[in-house]
Amino acid sequence: MSENFDVLNRYLFDELHVRGEIVQLKQCFDDIIGVHDYPQAVTQLLGELLAATCLLTATLKFEGEISVQLQGDGPLAFAVINGDHQQQMRGVAQVNGAISGSNLTDMLGKANMVITITPKHGERYQGIVALEGDTLSQCLEHYFETSEQLTTKIWLSVDAERRQASGMLLQVLPDSDDKQQQLTDFEHVSQLTATVKDEELFLLEAEQLLYRLYHQEKVRLFEPQAVSFKCGCSEDKCLAAIMNLSKQEIEDHIEEYMTIDMTCDYCQKTYHFDRQKLQIILNPQTQH
Ligand SMILES: [Zn+2]
């Protein structure tokens, strides 16, 4: 069963102006939650955000990174997932108070969704939209409609307990001038897709799922892409951050604690820097 997990599948309809994606995650979701002790509702939201970010990453037409961040003035200060074109994902949430409800407003209060797209080559783009609507999928659909002018529909399904996160995306293909036909096609495929059940999204392999939903249509399924957890933190990046401190601040800290410890917010890995490791900053002239 495990081989249907942690994959993203793209598909196309031969005779309809619609494209689709399915993502089914387990290990990657589990790795992101990792040792963080999040409330259940936050784990649930991170699962949705993870599935959504995978779907969004797969819409990129170039190499690069995408981050989807929710930030607000509620007890959940922020939740963010970063992904790249290789479907390497990481994410973190910051909980500052007791979470008493499980909808977006209960958790985040007055909030925004910030989508940052960083191409490997080219300009970084950031889109900010107010977090309106009851669900993350509604917010994302609204984002696509306003910023990309692409009619999009997103289904997200998460079982926080079992650490399973799945999602589907449908989008009109901007490949025809017949806007009315595009929308008719989209409406037709949306209705078929809307019959998907959580259990099916969790358990069926992509091929079976497509057959179950669209057996009367001609659907082309592309090669699946693996999705994995990868944190980009490293000793070098921590060292670069320490270099932003003054020499005196570093000396004072080492004096008091013997070491400077930095813990990665995402994966919780701790990097230790003792005087020896900090020589390059403290006594650059002794380095050759
Ligand atoms: Zn890390």
Side-chain angles (χ1 to χ4, degrees), residues 1 10-11 15 104 175 181 195 221 228 231 238 283:
M1 199 62 82
R10 297 175 174 83
Y11 57 97
E15 288 154 5
L104 289 177
D175 64 345
Q181 190 57 47
T195 66
L221 184 62
S228 61
C231 190
C238 291
N283 297 303

Side-chain angles (χ1 to χ4, degrees), residues 90 231 233 264 266-267:
R90 68 173 186 166
C231 190
C233 66
C264 173
Y266 287 86
C267 68

Side-chain angles (χ1 to χ4, degrees), residues 8-22 170 173 175 189 206-207 210-211 214-224:
L8 183 124
N9 280 281
R10 297 175 174 83
Y11 57 97
L12 262 183
F13 294 89
D14 278 350
E15 288 154 5
L16 302 166
H17 301 283
V18 182
R19 58 185 288 283
E21 298 169 9
I22 304 168
L170 285 183
L173 271 180
D175 64 345
V189 178
E207 214 163 319
L210 295 186
Y211 183 76
Y214 318 118
H215 52 92
Q216 285 172 328
E217 309 297 336
K218 282 191 191 134
V219 189
R220 221 179 325 155
L221 184 62
F222 296 99
E223 277 293 299

